[in-house]
Amino acid sequence: MVDKTRFVELLKGLQTPDNSVRQQAETMYQQAKQAEPDNLIIGMMTVLGSADVDEGVRRHDCVLLRQLVTRGSEKDFVYARITDAHKQEVANELLRRYEQEKSPAMQKKIGEVVSKLAEYVCDKDDPRGSLAPGNPSGWPALLPQVFRMADTSTASSIESCESALRLLKDCVPTLKDHIVEAKQQLGQIIQNGLQSPQVKHKVATFLLVCEIVTETEKKAWAPLLSTVGVLVQVLTGLAQAKEEDLLQECIQAFTDVATVEPDFFKAQLQQSLEPAKFMATVARTREACDSGLRGLAIEWLVSYVEKRNKFLVKSVPDFINLTLECCMSLMLEVDDSEEKLKEWIERMDDEEGEEDEDELFHTGEECIDRVAEAASMETIGNSLFRLIGHFSQQDSWQAKHAALAAVKQTVEYVEEQGHVDEMARLLLSHVDHPHPRVRFTALHGLGQLANDQSPHFQETSHLQVMPVLTRKMDDQVDHVAAMAMSAFVSFGEELDNSLMAGYARPLMEKLVMKLNTSQHRGVREEAITSIAVIAGVMEKDFVQYYDSIMPMLKQFVMTATSKKENRLRGKSFECMSLLGIAVGKEKFLNDAKEAIAAMMNTQVEADDVQREYIKEASERICTCLKKDFAQFLPPLLPGIFRNLRLDEMHAPAAAGNVDDDDDSYVQVQTGDGKYVRVHTEKFQDMMQSVQLLHTFVTEMEGGYFEAIPETAKVLLPLLTAREEYTMLCDEVRGTALQVWSLLIKSARLGAQERGQPNAMAKELLGTGLQAVFGQLEQNQETDFLHEISSGIAECIKNVGPGVLSNEEVRTLTSRVFALMDQSLARSAKHANEEAKNKQEASHLPQELHGGDEDDDEQGPAADEDQLRRNYEEILGAMMKVSPAEFLPCLPQCAERIQHWVATKENKVLGLYLVCDLLDHLKEHSESAWPIFMPKIFESIFDADADARTAAAYAVNLAAPLPKFAEAAPEVFKALAKLLSAPKPKKREEKAKVAMDNAVAAMLSMLKDKGQLCPPDLQAWDLALSKLPIKDDCEEAKKVHEKVIDMVLQQNQGLLGAENRNLGKVLSILAEIYKQEEICSKECDDKILKIFKGIPQNVLVSAASNFSEKQQKKIEKMLHS
C-alpha cells in the first residue's frame, strides 16, 4: 500500500523556498529514482489521482511524472525500469485520470504526460517500450479514447474536448500513420471541430490540421486542402473577436506549415490571395494588433517568399509586392517622442534594451533583407526602388528613415552599378538631415554599402564619401558621430593603401583628439577601431603614428576596468594587435609582451565581450611574431589545455531540480568509454581553445615543435569523444583534427630544422588515423563523417613524402573506396525514396506538384556529395605525398572514374579524381586517359557549374603534359567559346568560380601549348580581358603568379606584338599588388621589381590604362 502522505510531503519539499528542506527532498527523490523506481512512480500516480491534494502539488507531480516517462539517460528515465505490470498500470491510469479530470489546467498537464509516454511506448523504430507487443500502435487504448473525447458532437465538456484535440495534435509526430489511417474518424473530428460554435474547438482543430500537414507526407494531407479557406475564416474570426493569444498561436502554426509544406496554400493563393491578404492586414494594422502578432504575420509572408519564390513570380505576382509594402510599413514604426529620442541618443549600442526598442522597425528591416535575398533584384527591383523613392520623398522623418534603412538592407543584392550609385546618392543626401536618427541610418547605410559593394564603391566614390565621413565624426550627437566612424571602418578596410595615404594624417589627428577629449564610450570605441583600420591598410607606413598611439592604448587597458568599459578595453587589445601586424615584430615585440601579460591578467566571465577580443588579439600577435611567439607558450598553454580536458569538466546534476535546464548539459563518451556530463558553455571554451591552438601551430610551424607532445596528448581524447544529441562535440573534434594535421606539419618542419628524422610526424599520422578511421567506418551520420573526413586529407598531406609504404597506401585506398561505397549506398537509398515519393505525388492535385520549385536545399544528397569529395581528397593527398606508391592503385581509380563520370550524380566526383591523377601522377596517368578525357572535353560546357570547374581545372593540369598536344586545338576553341559567354551574375557564385578556372585553363594552354592555338581565336586578348580573377582565390594566386613570371620572361604572346598588351598587363599587376587574397607576398616583390625596371617613358605611355587607384599604387611602388 502506497503511503500517499509521504509523497505529498516529498512534492511539497521539492517546491519549498527553504533551501535545507528542498535539498533534503531532492536527495530523497534522487535516491527513490535509483532504488525504488516502481514505488516512486506508483506513489506519484496515486497523488495525481487524489482530488483532495492541493492542485499546485498535483501540477508539480505532473511535471515530475513527465520527466520520469521521458526517454533519456538511464537514471532519469525511471519508467523504463519499472515492471511490465506497473508500466501497464501507469498507462491505463493516466488515460483514466485524463478523461475524469475536472480541472482544465490539470487535464492539460496530464495530457502532456500522456503525449510524452506515447513517444516511448509507440515508437515504431524501437518497439521495446510497446505496451502490447505485436500491436503496431504500441498503446492500443490511446487513440480510440482520444478520438472519442475529441469529437465535438459527443464531447462531455467544452474544455475536455479542446484538451483532447490538443492532445491528438501532440500525438501526431508519434502516431501519424495510425491517425491518418483512421480517415473517417479523423475527417469527422476535423469537420465537427471547424464547425463548432466554440472558438477554442475551432482553434484546437486548426492546430491539429496544421500539425498533420507539417508531419505527414503530401498524400496523407492532400484531402485537407479543402480546409484552407475555412482555416482562413477561423483566423478572420479570431481577429474580429480580438482573441490575440489564440490568433498568435494559429498564425505561428500557419507559418510552420509555410516553412515545411508551402504547397498547402497554393490553390487558395491563386484563387483569392489568401491567407496573404489577411496576413498583410494584420501586419499593417497599427492600433488593433499586438506588435508580436504583426511580426508573426509578416513572418508568414516572408517565409512563403523564401520557400515558393518562383511559383509566386509566375502565378501570384502581387504577393511579393504586398510583402515589400508590409516590410516598409513596419519600418515606419519608430517612436517619435522626445523622451525616446533622448534615450536613443544616450544609450550605447551594447547596452540592454536595444533589442526591445522599435521591435517592429527591426522586424521590417530583417524581413526586407530576406525578401531581397530570396526573390533577387530582378524580381523585386522595380517595386523596391519605387517604394524607396516614395518613402524618401515624404516629409516625415520616419518615412525617410525607412527608405534609408531599406537601402542599407538590400544594397548587398544590387548588381547594376547605376542602381548602386543612386542608392549612394540618396544616402549621402541625408547625412545632414535635421533628425539624428535619419543621419545615423544614412551613415549606417554608407558603411553597409562599403561592405557589400567593395572595392568598386571605394574606388569610384572615395572623393565624395571620405570628406563626408570625416566631417560627420564631429556630429553634435555622439551616437551619430560614432556611426560615422563605424562607417569609415567599413569603407576604410577596403580602401587601397595608396588612396588611404591621402586621408590618413587629418583622420589620425581627429581620431586622436576624440580619444583624448570625448567622454562618450561609443565614440572612443569606434575611434580605436578606426585607428586599427588605418594601421591595417597602411601597414609599415603607419610606423610614424605608432609611438604616439601605443601608449594611449596601454592607458586604456590600465584604466578601462569597469564592466561597462569591457568593450573599450577589448577594442584596445584588438587595436594593439593590429598595430603590431602593421609595423612588424621588430617594432612590436616589447609591446607584445605587455599586451599578452595584460590579457592573461584579465579576469573574464562567460558572457564577457572581452573574451573574443582577447582570443583574436592573441591570434594576431602570434601571426605577427611567428616563431618568436614561443616565449609566450609556457604561460598560455596550461590554461588552454585545461579547457580541453574532458575529465576536468564533469558537472554533477542538480538532484530533483525541475528548473534545471537539462538541455544545457551534454553527456559525452570519452575515448576510454567513460561518460562525463558537460555544460554546453564548456564547448564554447573548448572551441575557443582549439581555435587558438590552430592559429599558434599554423603561424609558428616548426617553432611549435617542443610543445607538440603535450598538445597531442590533450587533443587525442577529443578525436574519439562522442555525444549523442548535438553537433557541439563534432565541431570541436573537427577543429581538433585540423590542429592535429598542423601538428604533423610542425613536427615535419621542426625535425628538418633540427636535423632530425621525420619520426614524430609519422607517429602522429599513425595515431591520428587509428583514432578516427574506425569511427568513419562504424558511423553512418553524415554530419559526423564530414567533420572527421575533412581533416584526414590534411594529415596525410602534411606528413610529407617518404612516410607511407606501398601496403599502407593500398590499404588506405581500399578503405576510402569502401567508405565511398557506403555513402553511395545511402544516396541510392535516398534517391529511391525520392523517386517513390514523386511517383506517389503524381496522383495528387496539380497544385501539389513541385515542378521547378524553389527547394534548392538538396539536403541529404548534397551532404553525401560533399562527403565523397572529402573522401576523394584523401586519395589525392596520398597521390601527392606518395605518387610512386599510389601507381598500383591507378587501375582501381580508372574503374571508378569510368562508372562515376557516366552518371549525372557522380560526374563531378569522378572529374576531381581525374584532376588528382593529372596533378600528382602526371604522365603516369596516361593509361587511363581514354576513359576520362572525352568526358573532360564534354564537361567544359556542362550545365552544372561544378562540373565546368572540374573540367577546366583538369585542362589546366593537363596542359603542360606532352601527350595533351593532340587535343590542344579543340580545347582552345572550347575554352574561347566558354570565355566569350556572358559574365556570371553576382549571386552565381559557382558560375563565377567556373569562369575563373576557365581563364586559368586558357592561360595554361597558352603558356604550354600556345603554338597550337588556332590563329583566328585571339586567345590572349580573351584571357587578358578576364584578368584579374577574384572569385576562386586559390586559383587566382596561381594564375597571377603565372602572368607575373611570363612578364619577367618577356613572353611575347602575353605582351603582344610590339608590347601592345603591356598597358593592360601592367594595370592587372597594379590591381593585384598587395591584395593578399589573390596575390602572394612573393608575387608582390616580383611586381615591384617589374615596375621599377620599366623606363619612365614607357610607364607614361601606358598611363591611359590605369585607374586612379592603380596610378597611386604605381607611384608608391616607384618611390618605395
Side-chain angles (χ1 to χ4, degrees):
M1 185 70 181
V2 172
D3 183 357
K4 181 177 74 175
T5 304
R6 173 190 168 208
F7 284 96
V8 171
E9 290 305 313
L10 174 65
L11 290 164
K12 288 180 177 178
L14 291 170
Q15 291 179 287
T16 182
D18 186 322
N19 284 337
S20 61
V21 175
R22 189 176 66 253
Q23 288 173 2
Q24 184 178 1
E26 287 175 346
T27 301
M28 291 174 59
Y29 180 64
Q30 289 296 336
Q31 289 173 346
K33 283 165 67 175
Q34 298 307 310
E36 305 176 74
D38 289 83
N39 285 345
L40 177 63
I41 285 193
I42 297 302
M44 294 179 71
M45 288 297 300
T46 302
V47 173
L48 182 65
S50 302
D52 59 334
V53 176
D54 178 76
E55 186 171 316
V57 174
R58 293 173 67 218
R59 277 201 302 269
H60 192 66
D61 183 59
C62 268
V63 171
L64 293 175
L65 273 171
R66 182 168 58 84
Q67 292 180 351
L68 297 179
V69 303
T70 298
R71 180 164 39 196
S73 64
E74 182 180 350
K75 70 181 183 63
D76 295 319
F77 187 22
V78 173
Y79 178 84
R81 292 188 282 115
I82 65 177
T83 65
D84 289 345
H86 281 152
K87 287 177 183 176
Q88 193 71 54
E89 180 182 340
V90 168
N92 293 341
E93 182 64 13
L94 278 173
L95 291 182
R96 190 176 71 83
R97 290 307 320 156
Y98 179 69
E99 185 165 18
Q100 294 180 0
E101 182 59 54
K102 301 301 182 186
S103 164
M106 275 303 300
Q107 190 175 47
K108 177 185 176 185
K109 285 291 182 185
I110 298 172
E112 291 172 358
V113 182
V114 171
S115 172
K116 190 57 69 174
L117 179 58
E119 289 180 12
Y120 172 61
V121 301
C122 302
D123 185 350
K124 65 179 183 180
D125 296 323
D126 182 5
R128 288 176 298 175
S130 175
L131 294 169
N135 188 301
S137 78
W139 193 352
L142 175 60
L143 280 183
Q145 177 175 320
V146 177
F147 277 145
R148 173 169 47 80
M149 293 177 65
D151 191 336
T152 60
S153 65
T154 59
S156 59
S157 75
I158 295 171
E159 290 80 7
S160 177
C161 184
E162 180 204 6
S163 177
L165 283 164
R166 287 178 176 269
L167 175 56
L168 184 57
K169 172 191 77 78
D170 293 340
C171 289
V172 169
T174 304
L175 290 162
K176 55 191 172 190
D177 293 340
H178 303 286
I179 291 172
V180 298
E181 281 171 6
K183 292 180 182 178
Q184 187 171 353
Q185 282 179 285
L186 180 63
Q188 194 66 42
I189 287 170
I190 291 173
Q191 182 178 346
N192 291 342
L194 292 176
Q195 291 176 352
S196 171
Q198 298 297 327
V199 170
K200 290 184 177 180
H201 290 169
K202 291 179 185 291
V203 169
T205 309
F206 183 111
L207 299 174
L208 172 61
V209 171
C210 291
E211 190 74 6
I212 291 171
V213 175
T214 56
E215 288 289 339
T216 64
E217 299 295 333
K218 284 183 178 179
K219 64 179 180 179
W221 59 256
L224 296 175
L225 283 171
S226 59
T227 67
V228 179
V230 182
L231 298 180
V232 174
Q233 290 173 17
V234 173
L235 293 176
T236 304
L238 292 172
Q240 291 170 347
K242 300 192 184 310
E243 293 277 4
E244 292 200 353
D245 289 344
L246 295 176
L247 180 58
Q248 189 160 327
E249 195 175 9
C250 290
I251 293 179
Q252 180 62 63
F254 250 25
T255 302
D256 293 340
V257 174
T259 303
V260 178
E261 291 286 4
D263 294 340
F264 183 65
F265 301 105
K266 272 185 175 180
Q268 196 69 32
L269 284 168
Q270 288 176 292
Q271 291 170 17
S272 63
L273 197 56
E274 292 290 4
K277 289 197 292 188
F278 173 82
M279 297 297 183
T281 300
V282 172
R284 290 189 291 203
T285 302
R286 304 182 69 169
E287 293 79 13
C289 291
D290 171 79
S291 63
L293 198 55
R294 296 174 68 188
L296 272 179
I298 200 167
E299 177 63 30
W300 185 89
L301 291 165
V302 174
S303 295
Y304 206 87
V305 172
E306 290 174 327
K307 285 294 180 180
R308 287 294 178 261
N309 168 50
K310 294 177 184 176
F311 160 74
L312 293 174
V313 171
K314 181 179 179 180
S315 303
V316 196
D318 291 338
F319 188 109
I320 295 177
N321 293 342
L322 188 66
T323 305
L324 288 172
E325 290 168 5
C326 289
C327 292
M328 294 299 293
S329 294
L330 290 187
M331 289 161 67
L332 290 172
E333 300 291 338
V334 184
D335 197 311
D336 194 24
S337 68
E338 287 295 325
E339 179 186 358
K340 288 296 183 184
L341 177 59
K342 186 172 183 293
E343 287 180 12
W344 179 85
I345 288 172
E346 294 176 353
R347 187 179 57 243
M348 302 294 172
D349 288 341
D350 60 347
E351 289 181 346
E352 292 183 7
E354 173 74 15
E355 66 278 4
D356 300 324
E357 296 294 328
D358 304 321
E359 179 183 353
L360 286 172
F361 166 76
H362 292 302
T363 298
E365 272 194 316
E366 178 196 343
C367 287
I368 203 167
D369 185 308
R370 289 166 59 190
V371 172
E373 180 178 18
S376 83
M377 276 295 156
E378 286 183 342
T379 300
I380 71 166
N382 290 337
S383 297
L384 176 66
F385 297 136
R386 175 180 53 79
L387 285 167
I388 290 172
H390 173 66
F391 275 64
S392 68
Q393 290 165 15
Q394 294 181 34
D395 292 334
S396 79
W397 73 263
Q398 289 100 328
K400 296 182 185 296
H401 182 255
L404 300 177
V407 169
K408 171 174 69 74
Q409 295 299 108
T410 59
V411 69
E412 172 185 359
Y413 310 106
V414 178
E415 295 200 21
E416 291 188 28
Q417 204 52 52
H419 289 151
V420 174
D421 294 341
E422 286 179 33
M423 288 177 149
R425 283 194 291 270
L426 182 64
L427 295 169
L428 287 167
S429 68
H430 284 81
V431 296
D432 293 312
H433 189 276
H435 201 286
R437 295 199 65 166
V438 175
R439 301 199 298 276
F440 180 92
T441 302
L443 292 164
H444 197 176
L446 286 171
Q448 193 62 51
L449 201 158
N451 281 330
D452 296 333
Q453 299 291 340
S454 66
H456 181 84
F457 180 51
Q458 283 85 340
E459 292 170 12
T460 59
S461 303
H462 68 94
L463 291 173
Q464 294 78 38
V465 175
M466 281 300 294
V468 168
L469 296 182
T470 305
R471 176 169 57 82
K472 295 311 295 180
M473 291 177 188
D474 293 322
D475 193 279
Q476 60 188 7
V477 176
D478 284 330
H479 202 166
V480 177
M483 179 48 69
M485 295 178 197
S486 177
F488 164 72
V489 168
S490 298
F491 194 89
E493 280 179 329
E494 296 299 327
L495 192 63
D496 191 78
N497 178 304
S498 59
L499 299 177
M500 179 67 84
Y503 301 107
R505 183 160 296 281
L507 257 177
M508 286 299 298
E509 291 172 356
K510 184 182 290 289
L511 294 168
V512 169
M513 181 192 71
K514 292 289 183 183
L515 284 176
N516 284 326
T517 61
S518 178
Q519 297 304 308
H520 189 276
R521 183 158 46 85
V523 168
R524 290 190 293 169
E525 288 171 2
E526 293 301 336
I528 288 175
T529 306
S530 297
I531 289 171
V533 165
I534 295 171
V537 172
M538 294 186 70
E539 296 180 325
K540 297 288 186 182
D541 293 337
F542 189 82
V543 72
Q544 59 190 302
Y545 306 110
Y546 182 89
D547 290 334
S548 61
I549 298 299
M550 186 58 75
M552 294 176 66
L553 297 174
K554 292 178 184 177
Q555 187 64 23
F556 279 126
V557 168
M558 294 291 294
T559 59
T561 55
S562 71
K563 188 168 184 178
K564 284 192 172 183
E565 292 178 308
N566 281 354
R567 185 181 299 275
L568 180 63
R569 198 163 187 267
K571 282 182 174 284
S572 298
F573 286 132
E574 174 186 59
C575 191
M576 291 171 78
S577 63
L578 286 165
L579 262 59
I581 287 179
V583 301
K585 66 180 179 181
E586 292 78 12
K587 179 78 173 173
F588 180 56
L589 183 57
N590 289 330
D591 292 320
K593 295 176 182 177
E594 292 185 43
I596 290 287
M599 288 190 286
M600 289 191 64
N601 290 329
T602 300
Q603 299 296 319
V604 293
E605 299 175 6
D607 60 347
D608 193 332
V609 70
Q610 291 183 93
R611 286 172 68 90
E612 192 65 25
Y613 282 115
I614 288 173
K615 169 186 170 285
E616 292 180 358
S618 301
E619 290 174 322
R620 286 192 205 94
I621 292 172
C622 181
T623 300
C624 175
L625 300 184
K626 304 294 184 187
K627 292 181 180 179
D628 289 332
F629 192 78
Q631 60 190 293
F632 303 115
L633 291 180
L636 285 173
L637 288 181
I640 292 172
F641 292 161
R642 189 162 51 250
N643 283 338
L644 293 174
R645 289 192 175 100
L646 286 169
D647 53 359
E648 295 182 15
M649 297 184 190
H650 186 65
N657 184 1
V658 298
D659 294 325
D660 186 28
D661 183 4
D662 287 340
D663 291 340
S664 297
Y665 291 89
V666 174
Q667 186 164 280
V668 178
Q669 183 180 17
T670 60
D672 56 4
K674 295 179 182 177
Y675 284 90
V676 293
R677 191 167 179 266
V678 182
H679 198 282
T680 52
E681 285 185 357
K682 289 293 184 182
F683 285 104
Q684 297 172 15
D685 294 338
M686 293 174 74
M687 183 56 81
Q688 280 207 339
S689 296
V690 80
Q691 286 169 345
L692 277 170
L693 289 177
H694 192 285
T695 300
F696 294 170
V697 186
T698 298
E699 299 299 334
M700 294 178 66
E701 294 189 326
Y704 196 83
F705 188 79
E706 279 72 24
I708 291 174
E710 186 65 22
T711 306
K713 183 179 178 182
V714 172
L715 290 180
L716 186 58
L718 297 180
L719 301 184
T720 53
R722 288 299 315 276
E723 47 84 22
E724 187 174 354
Y725 298 111
T726 75
M727 282 287 293
L728 294 171
C729 201
D730 288 351
E731 291 169 0
V732 172
R733 183 193 302 101
T735 309
L737 185 56
Q738 295 292 339
V739 177
W740 192 274
S741 74
L742 293 169
L743 290 179
I744 293 172
K745 181 179 180 181
S746 175
R748 174 172 58 83
L749 295 176
Q752 288 176 3
E753 293 163 4
R754 292 160 178 78
Q756 299 177 10
N758 197 15
M760 188 190 297
K762 182 176 182 178
E763 182 182 354
L764 286 169
L765 177 65
T767 303
L769 291 181
Q770 182 178 354
V772 299
F773 239 103
Q775 295 187 66
L776 284 178
E777 292 167 332
Q778 296 167 15
N779 203 296
Q780 296 291 311
E781 298 172 24
T782 309
D783 289 337
F784 170 80
L785 297 173
H786 264 294
E787 294 290 350
I788 295 293
S789 60
S790 62
I792 293 178
E794 291 304 311
C795 288
I796 295 172
K797 286 179 191 174
N798 288 342
V799 79
V803 171
L804 293 176
S805 67
N806 290 60
E807 181 58 26
E808 287 171 324
V809 169
R810 186 192 64 78
T811 302
L812 277 174
T813 300
S814 297
R815 294 176 79 176
V816 170
F817 279 133
L819 290 169
M820 285 182 164
D821 288 338
Q822 290 179 12
S823 174
L824 288 165
R826 289 192 297 270
S827 291
K829 180 180 178 183
H830 176 71
N832 289 336
E833 291 171 354
E834 288 288 298
K836 180 181 176 183
N837 291 339
K838 285 184 178 179
Q839 176 63 31
E840 292 174 347
S842 65
H843 304 297
L844 298 175
Q846 184 61 38
E847 60 267 23
L848 299 188
H849 294 182
D852 60 347
E853 273 303 352
D854 313 62
D855 291 328
D856 295 327
E857 302 169 13
Q858 299 179 51
D863 291 341
E864 293 288 355
D865 285 344
Q866 183 55 54
L867 177 61
R868 291 192 288 272
R869 282 284 291 112
N870 291 353
Y871 289 151
E872 190 282 322
E873 287 176 3
I874 298 174
L875 299 175
M878 286 190 284
M879 294 182 214
K880 180 175 182 178
V881 299
S882 304
E885 290 79 2
F886 194 87
L887 271 177
C889 301
L890 179 59
Q892 193 177 3
C893 291
E895 182 181 349
R896 295 279 179 156
I897 290 168
Q898 187 168 21
H899 289 300
W900 290 343
V901 297
T903 68
K904 178 182 177 182
E905 295 78 13
N906 299 312
K907 181 195 308 176
V908 174
L909 177 66
L911 290 174
Y912 275 114
L913 182 52
V914 167
C915 289
D916 276 321
L917 293 175
L918 292 170
D919 192 12
H920 304 303
L921 303 190
K922 302 192 185 311
E923 62 274 2
H924 297 296
S925 67
E926 288 177 5
S927 62
W929 284 21
I931 291 172
F932 58 71
M933 276 300 173
K935 186 58 69 171
I936 289 175
F937 304 145
E938 175 188 316
S939 299
I940 289 174
F941 299 106
D942 201 284
D944 181 356
D946 286 336
R948 297 200 301 275
T949 297
Y953 188 47
V955 169
N956 189 351
L957 296 168
L961 304 179
K963 186 176 177 59
F964 200 64
E966 301 169 12
E970 293 305 312
V971 170
F972 272 118
K973 292 177 184 178
L975 290 173
K977 182 178 179 181
L978 188 61
L979 294 180
S980 301
K983 180 182 177 182
K985 293 179 180 177
K986 185 177 180 180
R987 292 163 56 123
E988 297 174 339
E989 297 294 339
K990 289 187 175 182
K992 291 192 291 185
V993 170
M995 184 62 78
D996 279 2
N997 277 268
V999 175
M1002 178 65 91
L1003 272 171
S1004 289
M1005 289 296 295
L1006 287 168
K1007 177 178 178 292
D1008 295 301
K1009 300 288 186 287
Q1011 71 279 10
L1012 300 174
C1013 179
D1016 59 326
L1017 283 187
Q1018 304 298 314
W1020 279 110
D1021 291 344
L1022 198 53
L1024 286 171
S1025 71
K1026 300 292 183 181
L1027 293 175
I1029 62 175
K1030 298 181 178 180
D1031 293 294
D1032 186 338
C1033 293
E1034 183 178 349
E1035 200 57 39
K1037 286 184 178 180
K1038 300 176 189 174
V1039 166
H1040 298 151
E1041 181 176 18
K1042 193 171 292 183
V1043 172
I1044 292 165
D1045 288 342
M1046 284 193 283
V1047 173
L1048 289 170
Q1049 295 159 7
Q1050 294 289 297
N1051 185 290
Q1052 286 306 298
L1054 174 69
L1055 297 176
E1058 299 180 354
N1059 286 345
R1060 67 179 178 85
N1061 295 333
L1062 180 62
K1064 171 62 177 173
V1065 171
L1066 292 178
S1067 84
I1068 293 168
L1069 300 189
E1071 184 67 28
I1072 64 175
Y1073 181 66
K1074 293 289 185 181
Q1075 300 294 309
E1076 62 180 26
E1077 288 190 351
I1078 58 173
C1079 186
S1080 67
K1081 283 182 168 44
E1082 294 76 17
C1083 285
D1084 284 340
D1085 294 338
K1086 292 179 182 179
I1087 291 172
L1088 188 61
K1089 177 182 177 182
I1090 288 170
F1091 276 100
K1092 288 198 169 186
I1094 296 175
Q1096 184 69 24
N1097 64 314
V1098 174
L1099 280 177
V1100 170
S1101 65
S1104 61
N1105 292 277
F1106 306 146
S1107 67
E1108 176 200 6
K1109 179 187 79 171
Q1110 291 166 2
Q1111 289 181 22
K1112 289 184 178 293
K1113 289 175 78 171
I1114 293 168
E1115 290 169 9
K1116 188 167 183 183
M1117 279 189 265
L1118 295 177
H1119 292 94
S1120 62

